[in-house]
Amino acid sequence: MRGLQDDDEGAAEVGNTETTMEQAPYSHPSLPNVCFWDLPGIGTFNFPAATYLREMNFERYDFFIIILGCRVKEHDAKLGEEIKRLGKNVYFARSKMDDDLRRFQTDGGKSTEMEKIRTYCVDKLNQFGFPSPTVFLTSSRRVNEFDFPTLKETFANNLDDIKKDVFLLSLPNTTLEIVENKRKELKTRVWMLATLSGAVGAVPIPGQSFACDIGILVSAIIQFRQYMGLDDASLQRLANVTGKSVRDLKAIVKTPLVGEINKEFVIRMLLSCAFVTISAIEIGLDLVPVVGSIFGAGSSFGMTYKLLNDVLNELVENAQRVVKAAFETD
């Protein structure tokens, strides 16, 4: 979910024995406000089912993923029922599908086995008292295959608007759909930032609007680049996950927006278009009552909107090329 491999810094511990002995937080590598919590397994000697919910403080979390192994246990269904009773969303993810399907060579054979596994999980959960469960078949080694993309989309759709937006932007770029969903969300932010720029532009103080616009643009471009997975750290994580060379992934990116973004860079972008003339007129009109405010608001809004919209489109095109190359997909 965070785009990390087992041996990456900050990755969750893995093991064949009871590894998680306490609630462990794992922050997103580039969005610290997004945090996943790994909870100890239910029904073990250390964490008996009778006291599990109370000890784990379930009220604090937004949603839950119950990881199913080869055998579905009664504790899995009972835990899911208790989570639903608290008014929280719970999802069942059957893990390690790559291991289970390794011996099936044909797509037809894999599809048949996947349906057998899904049917078994659903039937067992029903039998243990969890009605009509949805089971997602997943593999942490093949994050753009099986039901992993659908699982992430389901998470997002069931969050409230603010958390949905943050969650979407936190997802690693493993599919073109994720990139496109990020574009839609960032389009909204373009409007918000342009509106903010227009509000500042309405204040008749010479030079203030232009300086504020530059600050907004620098910050937004750096954030948009990170959300689109085109910063160095994101590209390195993607290379680690896919086994591709980070140098090869960087070579696919054809935009100066992956270089250093500062005041001088943004001013050069503005100089390459007509906005520099508009800004000069705006400064000249700042001392004219009413007219200066109206012109300033409109020009600041238009300049910020146009530039950020162009930046977003350019970043999306490059992010799409990287995903296609990384996962060898169209």
Side-chain angles (χ1 to χ4, degrees):
M1 294 300 297
R2 298 185 299 143
L4 300 178
Q5 294 291 88
D6 292 346
D7 54 356
D8 287 341
E9 183 179 354
E13 289 187 53
V14 295
N16 294 318
T17 58
E18 189 175 3
T19 304
T20 305
M21 301 305 294
E22 60 183 10
Q23 296 156 292
Y26 293 95
S27 294
H28 189 276
S30 55
L31 294 174
N33 286 338
V34 177
C35 185
F36 294 90
W37 287 77
D38 185 18
L39 306 186
I42 186 174
T44 65
F45 177 79
N46 293 300
F47 299 98
T51 59
Y52 187 80
L53 263 70
R54 184 175 67 254
E55 291 182 9
M56 294 300 113
N57 191 19
F58 272 31
E59 293 289 351
R60 72 186 301 178
Y61 306 110
D62 294 303
F63 60 83
F64 297 82
I65 311 166
I66 296 179
I67 308 297
L68 303 176
C70 295
R71 296 289 180 266
V72 177
K73 301 176 183 178
E74 185 174 6
H75 289 320
D76 299 323
K78 297 304 182 187
L79 180 58
E81 276 293 292
E82 286 300 314
I83 293 171
K84 283 183 62 178
R85 188 179 62 80
L86 293 173
K88 306 278 187 175
N89 288 322
V90 57
Y91 309 93
F92 294 95
R94 169 59 160 81
S95 64
K96 302 180 180 178
M97 288 300 299
D98 56 323
D99 289 340
D100 291 329
L101 298 180
R102 190 168 288 123
R103 59 194 174 93
F104 295 92
Q105 299 302 317
T106 65
D107 289 341
K110 291 180 179 179
S111 298
T112 300
E113 188 64 16
M114 284 176 64
E115 286 312 306
K116 285 173 58 179
I117 292 172
R118 194 191 309 275
T119 299
Y120 162 79
C121 293
V122 170
D123 289 347
K124 278 295 182 182
L125 290 169
N126 270 319
Q127 177 184 328
F128 291 137
F130 192 100
S132 306
T134 300
V135 176
F136 298 89
L137 309 181
T138 65
S139 165
S140 61
R141 299 188 189 95
R142 293 159 67 175
V143 293
N144 66 329
E145 299 181 36
F146 306 116
D147 295 332
F148 216 125
T150 306
L151 178 61
K152 290 185 286 190
E153 184 178 343
T154 303
F155 292 157
N157 288 338
N158 288 332
L159 291 169
D160 63 47
D161 288 343
I162 294 176
K163 290 180 179 178
K164 175 181 178 179
D165 297 342
V166 174
F167 180 76
L168 279 174
L169 294 175
S170 77
L171 293 177
N173 288 347
T174 55
T175 66
L176 295 177
E177 287 78 11
I178 289 176
V179 175
E180 188 56 37
N181 285 334
K182 288 183 179 182
R183 182 214 292 265
K184 293 175 183 176
E185 166 55 23
L186 291 177
K187 278 271 192 182
T188 302
R189 297 203 178 190
V190 168
W191 272 102
M192 291 170 58
L193 291 169
T195 301
L196 173 62
S197 175
V200 175
V203 179
I205 300 177
Q208 174 180 279
S209 175
F210 184 73
C212 182
D213 290 343
I214 295 297
I216 290 173
L217 292 170
V218 169
S219 177
I221 293 171
I222 292 173
Q223 286 186 341
F224 284 15
R225 179 177 66 186
Q226 187 180 65
Y227 292 146
M228 281 299 162
L230 296 176
D231 59 299
D232 287 346
S234 297
L235 288 171
Q236 183 64 63
R237 289 194 294 270
L238 183 60
N240 294 343
V241 168
T242 60
K244 296 291 192 297
S245 163
V246 68
R247 182 170 61 183
D248 291 343
L249 294 182
K250 286 184 176 181
I252 296 167
V253 181
K254 306 295 184 183
T255 172
L257 295 171
V258 295
E260 183 179 1
I261 306 298
N262 51 30
K263 174 182 176 181
E264 289 71 26
F265 177 86
V266 171
I267 290 175
R268 286 197 299 271
M269 292 181 68
L270 294 173
L271 287 173
S272 65
C273 59
F275 286 126
V276 66
T277 303
I278 295 175
S279 295
I281 297 173
E282 178 184 342
I283 293 173
L285 290 174
D286 275 338
L287 299 178
V288 180
V290 182
V291 174
S293 293
I294 295 173
F295 185 87
S299 64
S300 292
F301 177 92
M303 179 176 71
T304 302
Y305 178 81
K306 176 65 167 61
L307 191 65
L308 285 183
N309 201 52
D310 291 346
V311 163
L312 178 58
N313 289 335
E314 190 169 333
L315 290 173
V316 167
E317 290 173 7
N318 281 273
Q320 289 171 336
R321 286 203 297 269
V322 169
V323 170
K324 290 178 181 180
F327 295 100
E328 298 178 358
T329 178
D330 293 328

